Amino acid sequence: MVFEQEQEEVAPGAVHGHRLSTVVPSSVTGEVDYALADADLAFKLHYLRGVYYYPPGEVARGLATKVLKDPMFPWLDDYFPVAGRVRRAEQEAAGGEGDAGAPRRPYIKCNDCGVRIVEAKCDRDMDEWLRDDAPDRLRQLCYDKVLGPELFFSPLLYVQITNFKCGGLALGFSWAHLIGDVPSAVTCFNKWAQILSGKKPEDTVLTPLNKPVQGQSPAGVTAPRSVKQVGPIEDHWLVSAGRDMACYSFHVSDAVLKKLQQQQKGRHDAAAGTFELVSALAWQTVAKIRGGDVDTVTVVRTGAAARSGKSLANEMTVGYVASAGSSPAKTDVAELAALLAKNVVDETAAVAAFQGDVLVYGGANLTLMDMEQVNVYALEIKGLRPVHVEYGMDGVGEEGAVLVQPDADGRGRLVTAVLPRDEIDSLRAALGTALQVA
Amino acid sequence: MGSSAAHQLKQLKPLYQHVVNNFVAVLAAPLAVAAVVNAARVGPDELLGRLQALRAVHVFLAVFVAAAAATLYVMLRPRSVYLVDYACFRTRPNCRVPFATFLEHAKLVTFVEGASIDERSVRFMTRLLERSGLGEETCLPPAHHYIPPYRNMEASRAEVELVIFSAIDDLLAKTGISPNAIDILVVNCSLFAPIPSFTDMIIHRYGMRPDIRNVHLSGMGCSAGLISVGLAKNFLQVAPKGAHALVVSTETITPNYYVGKERAMLLPNCLFRMGGAAVLLSTSRARARFRLARVVRTLTGAQDSAYRCVFQEEDGEGHRGINLSKDLMTIAGDALKANITAIGPLVLPASEQLLFALSFIARRVVNRHVKPYLPDFRTAFEHFCIHAGGRAVIDELQRSLGLSDQDVEASRMALHRFGNTSSSSVWYELAYIEAKGRMRRGDRVWMIGFGSGFKCNSAAWECIAPARTAEGPWAESISRYPVDIPEVLKH
């Protein structure tokens, strides 16, 4: 008997009927441990939530759960660390008085425990759902669990398959940032889709093995400006922000982009790209609704520097920018964009080397994340391209975060803001004016 | 006495076996020689004279009686039953359950209303799994990959169809036989007996004949596979010559997940896994691979302790499960002794039986403390397929029968790769032996099954032709076996 609470009243239009199951790697991995890099541990309190919407039709109708699950078994053979569980290293017996109080270093035990699959239904049409533009709809379509309180039994990845009344399908991925950054995650998901479509994906590279960085900054040093120190975190890897956070996505159209680019034409330092322009707009809007006081922002980008080529890694650059003097609410978007282009202070190494637990997104400052280069629309299932993709984040601090993503046709941008719930309405109103083309 | 004396005795043993096993020949040879010598001495003329003196009626009567006796003997002798081929369900990677997943699911089911598995139960199951002898590739049905697992009829039927239809498809492909050439259908599955039965499911799916004789055996325990073979053998005695019987052995796991916390009832959750086998028997020797020599069934259910040894019941909280009593090993040992006593005289060569009889007499008459002679069953069989009920069962049998590690290797490896698949485990073990290329023409196989009741059943086979292809449940994994299974597999 499916143990859903059939007797309970289901709020009309809510996602319901959740059925959990597990998918494991198809062959035995053996006694393997996956070491976590310092950069991985810096992001351990954050969780990516990505939703892909697929339109109703013949192809979607043929996507029974079994069809979606079967390719996951060989997929996890390649990505076996994702099917593992977090453990803490054994206490060092000998070797001096290594702090008895210091938490033991986490690692991933690749015990083939698996990835959790959630099947759910929604009694609304997908178009209606998308048009509604409800804040935090991401949370309904991605299983919102985190690592802990039982680390031993917490999956690193949840995949939720939601079926809409019209036949449309939504795939929601909940990915622990610990195991890899957005490009790693998206490549991982794309590989699953390739296996489903019968193609052979590229090999997964999991070497060289992660090692703790030499020259750790000694304890007692303050955290880098980009991040906020929290904790110490025990076994529940979520810092609950005092206020309820919600994700809200909005579209920055081609036309608006052109207008922004026009605005910076006259400047001598017109070096800002679309990310800088769009996130500057977001920065300015958030500053307006908060009445100033967003002087510094943290910037997380998929490094312009080449990635190492490892399939699972946290290699995004982390830095901060301070707005010189004037409040960002009153500064031009073009000027803010110029700051973002030129004046970012890189703190990637310092953040990785820092020993305590930190909040990168929304911790110390509003965080702007660059996802422009990430090919999210490549997750084609049997040739069916998603009509809409939005990525949000959980575990974001009160300062909030803004994720800039490519949109469906590649010319505009989709922006997801993760802010305290009570700021969402003000944001919508402020955006109404900001996004006008005329 | 010393080791040199014992060594001499050992060397004499083969000579002793030769003499005793061919006793008739040993006795007849000198008699025949004496008769020939006598006849030669008497002379041919004298012999001819004696023959002509015999009366015609006496001669006719002698010949007639001899011929009648021979004909009667041939007619009343039971028909030989042959195994044409067999096929085991080949597990899929998408049903795989590693230890970590099994334990995580058990832990998460604790949050479901109606389940009472608690922390202590999960720890107990962890210890069980570590010492169980199971590997990380055993499979559970898709319904058990859900949290909480489905236990309803639809899911149970889905598992049955998955297992037996694929095993039967494999078998029909291997033997080339058509479904409507099957005259007898026997299926055994202990713990799931829907209406219509499994046999009706099979007849429906494969479009079998309306006059097929079908029987579904349920509730007969883990040794039911051999009971089904025995039943099919009996059917074949009265069916037309050359009839075919399809025997399907399986166990359905889906409806039987135990959600309580009684320790004695948690063991089946940990050990039982998905599996099934389909076997084609016939009285026609054409294309046969094995000959069924014996089926011997022993039941000890008349005693209370044996009867209650494996008992399905509800626990204190109302959750249904199978209760395994603490003296399972002792009872299994006793049942085995009963079975050996029954099958021994039928299969052991005369030399072993004589030694056993002598030791028996010696114990009774001469001295109580003479060690009972343990017949060496390796003189009767080349291969052993012991039901992979669990590590303890295999260890106990190895000790009782005095078998080597190689003799029980098939059982241990089948337990490691497939878990306890109940009545079909003996077929997975036979498949292992064949996959390893150890089966030769003329080799004899002993299948032993144990089950609730308490029953101990044996079947003895003789190989006519080893497997022609490498297809089978072990095809992908055989290269990794045998593996060394540690006492405790730490997690």
Side-chain angles (χ1 to χ4, degrees):
Chain A
M1 174 62 219
V2 176
F3 233 89
E4 44 175 86
Q5 289 83 341
E6 287 278 30
Q7 298 81 3
E8 245 178 58
E9 276 295 307
V10 174
V15 174
H16 63 280
H18 295 81
R19 288 150 50 173
L20 276 70
S21 57
T22 304
V23 163
V24 299
S26 67
S27 46
V28 182
T29 298
E31 304 259 320
V32 177
D33 291 337
Y34 177 81
L36 292 166
D38 295 316
D40 290 330
L41 292 174
F43 283 92
K44 72 178 192 247
L45 297 169
H46 300 296
Y47 303 87
L48 278 174
R49 307 277 193 235
V51 182
Y52 295 72
Y53 294 86
Y54 294 89
E58 267 310 310
V59 185
R61 228 198 311 281
L63 294 176
T65 311
K66 187 174 188 310
V67 172
L68 295 172
K69 271 190 182 176
D70 279 349
M72 291 188 185
F73 293 88
W75 172 57
L76 287 177
D77 277 340
D78 290 334
Y79 277 97
F80 57 86
V82 179
R85 294 290 181 268
V86 178
R87 294 276 191 274
R88 287 197 191 268
E90 288 304 305
Q91 202 86 35
E92 278 176 29
E97 319 91 42
D99 319 78
R104 297 165 346 230
R105 192 185 175 87
Y107 67 99
I108 307 283
K109 188 171 165 74
C110 301
N111 58 8
D112 290 350
C113 203
V115 153
R116 197 78 75 226
I117 311 294
V118 184
E119 298 163 55
K121 311 193 258 287
C122 181
D123 293 330
R124 302 176 65 190
D125 287 341
M126 199 168 83
D127 293 335
E128 209 191 305
W129 173 278
L130 283 171
R131 250 179 298 129
D132 251 16
D133 222 12
D136 222 19
R137 62 188 181 196
L138 261 180
R139 199 173 289 275
Q140 296 223 24
L141 295 175
C142 292
Y143 208 60
D144 66 346
K145 289 272 189 286
V146 300
L147 294 174
E150 302 236 19
L151 275 183
F152 261 51
F153 297 117
S154 301
L156 296 165
L157 172 64
Y158 291 84
V159 181
Q160 178 166 330
I161 302 166
T162 312
N163 283 295
F164 288 90
K165 193 173 77 171
C166 58
L169 182 71
L171 280 181
F173 292 91
S174 296
W175 168 279
H177 210 302
L178 169 79
I179 193 88
D181 52 17
V182 174
S184 301
V186 170
T187 315
C188 179
F189 307 149
N190 290 351
K191 283 198 182 163
W192 162 68
Q194 285 162 13
I195 299 179
L196 206 169
S197 307
K199 303 194 201 89
K200 191 170 165 5
E202 275 176 26
D203 286 336
T204 314
V205 177
L206 293 172
T207 50
L209 301 172
N210 291 322
K211 287 194 185 51
V213 154
Q214 256 76 333
Q216 286 261 7
S217 53
V221 159
T222 48
R225 259 181 89 171
S226 323
V227 303
K228 176 174 167 209
Q229 180 169 20
V230 293
I233 301 291
E234 294 286 322
D235 275 353
H236 187 63
W237 288 7
L238 181 72
V239 177
S240 36
R243 302 152 77 185
D244 222 9
M245 304 295 283
C247 298
Y248 175 70
S249 304
F250 58 91
H251 189 228
V252 174
S253 68
D254 202 22
V256 173
L257 270 183
K258 283 207 172 59
K259 180 183 106 174
L260 291 172
Q261 275 157 351
Q262 283 283 1
Q263 285 177 352
Q264 70 156 352
K265 266 244 170 80
R267 302 175 59 92
H268 60 279
D269 53 357
T274 40
F275 167 68
E276 286 85 356
L277 290 168
V278 172
S279 46
L281 177 65
W283 183 3
Q284 187 196 61
T285 318
V286 172
K288 281 190 182 140
I289 59 180
R290 287 187 187 165
D293 197 30
V294 193
D295 293 327
T296 321
V297 287
T298 302
V299 182
V300 178
R301 307 190 69 159
T302 34
R307 296 172 65 82
S308 68
K310 281 178 71 170
S311 303
L312 286 175
N314 273 293
E315 289 171 341
M316 299 183 87
T317 56
V318 179
Y320 72 91
V321 167
S323 78
S326 60
S327 158
K330 300 199 185 58
T331 322
D332 264 352
V333 171
E335 188 143 342
L336 290 174
L339 278 177
L340 287 171
K342 294 277 188 41
N343 295 14
V344 177
V345 176
D346 186 61
E347 289 191 318
T348 319
V351 167
F354 184 70
Q355 281 203 14
D357 298 323
V358 295
L359 262 185
V360 180
Y361 294 93
N365 320 300
L366 174 71
T367 309
L368 307 169
M369 200 247 248
D370 175 12
M371 270 181 66
E372 288 197 315
Q373 308 302 321
V374 182
N375 195 1
V376 294
Y377 285 89
L379 194 75
E380 294 189 7
I381 303 190
K382 295 202 178 225
L384 188 64
R385 202 160 180 275
V387 290
H388 183 70
V389 178
E390 51 196 30
Y391 265 79
M393 190 150 334
D394 212 352
V396 175
E398 281 184 17
E399 296 297 324
V402 172
L403 286 73
V404 179
Q405 311 156 41
D407 73 347
D409 52 26
R411 292 195 308 258
R413 293 289 178 269
L414 184 78
V415 181
T416 304
V418 187
L419 295 172
R421 197 178 286 268
D422 42 21
E423 288 182 5
I424 298 283
D425 286 325
S426 334
L427 178 73
R428 268 171 136 166
L431 282 174
T433 39
L435 292 178
Q436 271 171 0
V437 185
Chain B
M1 285 291 220
S3 58
S4 61
H7 186 60
Q8 279 173 342
L9 276 178
K10 268 209 175 58
Q11 287 184 318
L12 285 175
K13 195 154 192 213
L15 176 61
Y16 157 76
Q17 283 177 334
H18 232 74
V19 166
V20 175
N21 289 340
N22 302 309
F23 192 63
V24 172
V26 165
L27 211 55
L31 282 178
V33 167
V36 167
V37 165
N38 218 357
R41 215 163 10 105
V42 165
D45 296 321
E46 179 67 38
L47 273 177
L48 224 54
R50 286 199 193 172
L51 275 173
Q52 280 173 338
L54 287 173
R55 289 181 59 186
V57 171
H58 288 159
V59 172
F60 173 71
L61 222 50
V63 170
F64 176 73
V65 166
T71 315
L72 216 58
Y73 168 71
V74 167
M75 279 178 56
L76 291 179
R77 195 181 50 173
R79 289 178 184 162
S80 273
V81 171
Y82 300 95
L83 181 144
V84 178
D85 217 330
Y86 66 97
C88 298
F89 167 66
R90 283 175 290 156
T91 54
R92 322 276 158 98
N94 64 7
C95 291
R96 179 183 163 222
V97 177
F99 282 19
T101 318
F102 181 84
L103 292 169
E104 187 170 281
H105 278 222
K107 173 110 189 25
L108 291 173
V109 168
T110 64
F111 298 126
V112 172
E113 183 192 350
S116 69
I117 301 182
D118 57 1
E119 278 296 329
R120 288 186 62 217
S121 309
V122 176
R123 278 201 298 275
F124 176 68
M125 284 205 269
T126 312
R127 285 201 307 275
L128 272 178
L129 271 179
E130 286 171 356
R131 289 165 178 74
S132 62
L134 263 68
E136 297 259 12
E137 279 185 278
T138 61
C139 292
L140 281 176
H144 276 216
H145 293 257
Y146 279 84
I147 304 166
Y150 282 98
R151 294 183 288 161
N152 57 356
M153 294 228 49
E154 190 188 332
S156 307
R157 281 208 172 98
E159 179 194 345
V160 174
E161 290 177 3
L162 173 64
V163 173
I164 64 182
F165 290 171
S166 63
I168 295 177
D169 286 341
D170 280 349
L171 182 64
L172 295 178
K174 265 192 197 180
T175 56
I177 195 173
S178 136
N180 55 18
I182 295 176
D183 307 280
I184 298 156
L185 176 59
V186 181
V187 177
N188 71 273
C189 174
S190 269
L191 290 166
F192 181 51
I195 294 173
S197 71
F198 283 34
T199 55
D200 299 311
M201 262 193 229
I202 296 174
I203 292 166
H204 172 76
R205 164 82 150 80
Y206 291 94
M208 294 182 171
R209 297 197 324 252
D211 64 344
I212 191 172
R213 284 161 170 61
N214 60 334
V215 178
H216 175 129
L217 294 174
S218 95
M220 300 294 276
C222 295
S223 59
L226 300 174
I227 296 178
S228 307
V229 167
L231 183 62
K233 174 183 174 203
N234 292 346
F235 265 124
L236 283 169
Q237 305 302 320
V238 296
K241 185 103 175 69
H244 288 93
L246 176 61
V247 174
V248 180
S249 296
T250 186
E251 193 53 70
T252 306
I253 314 279
T254 303
N256 298 308
Y257 189 80
Y258 174 62
V259 292
K261 52 184 198 271
E262 270 302 306
R263 290 192 172 193
M265 296 162 89
L266 282 172
L267 192 52
N269 273 3
C270 296
L271 295 182
F272 279 91
R273 296 289 183 266
M274 237 175 134
V279 179
L280 188 66
L281 299 172
S282 175
T283 36
S284 140
R285 203 178 190 276
R287 308 192 63 191
R289 293 222 292 118
F290 287 86
R291 185 180 68 85
L292 178 60
R294 299 271 174 208
V295 174
V296 176
R297 298 169 55 177
T298 5
L299 290 95
T300 56
Q303 286 114 43
D304 268 347
S305 55
Y307 173 66
R308 290 207 71 98
C309 181
V310 179
F311 210 78
Q312 184 183 36
E313 61 188 359
E314 273 115 17
D315 68 10
E317 293 170 338
H319 302 297
R320 186 183 291 192
I322 299 169
N323 198 329
L324 301 174
S325 93
K326 285 199 179 15
D327 18 300
L328 179 62
M329 285 298 107
T330 328
I331 292 170
D334 291 340
L336 177 69
K337 273 201 206 67
N339 196 269
I340 291 178
T341 315
I343 200 176
L346 301 174
V347 295
L348 284 170
S351 53
E352 291 294 316
Q353 296 197 40
L354 186 59
L355 282 174
F356 181 73
L358 288 176
S359 121
F360 184 77
I361 295 170
R363 272 168 67 84
R364 281 298 170 87
V365 170
V366 177
N367 178 4
R368 184 69 59 85
H369 299 294
V370 169
K371 267 180 56 174
Y373 178 70
L374 180 66
D376 186 3
F377 278 91
R378 286 179 289 178
T379 55
F381 298 104
E382 278 72 42
H383 304 289
F384 299 82
C385 294
I386 301 169
H387 166 56
R391 189 191 214 136
V393 169
I394 302 176
D395 288 344
E396 172 65 27
L397 256 81
Q398 184 181 8
R399 202 188 53 78
S400 308
L401 294 172
L403 298 176
S404 72
D405 283 340
Q406 214 203 22
D407 292 327
V408 295
E409 183 183 304
S411 306
R412 287 203 205 282
M413 297 307 126
L415 180 65
H416 184 268
R417 174 64 179 81
F418 295 100
N420 179 346
T421 56
S422 184
S423 43
S424 51
S425 64
V426 287
W427 297 105
Y428 281 99
E429 292 163 27
L430 185 62
Y432 177 83
I433 297 170
E434 298 209 286
K436 276 283 180 196
R438 293 179 188 161
M439 189 66 69
R440 306 247 179 293
R441 187 194 162 89
D443 278 359
R444 294 155 300 174
V445 184
W446 187 13
M447 286 187 174
I448 312 178
F450 291 94
S452 62
F454 198 82
K455 307 179 183 70
C456 179
N457 300 323
S458 294
W461 303 88
E462 188 186 318
C463 179
I464 300 174
R468 294 179 203 103
T469 65
E471 283 288 309
W474 291 93
E476 278 138 31
S477 34
I478 194 72
S479 50
R480 285 181 263 128
Y481 283 88
V483 288
D484 189 33
I485 306 174
E487 265 307 309
V488 177
L489 203 62
K490 239 330 176 175
H491 271 79

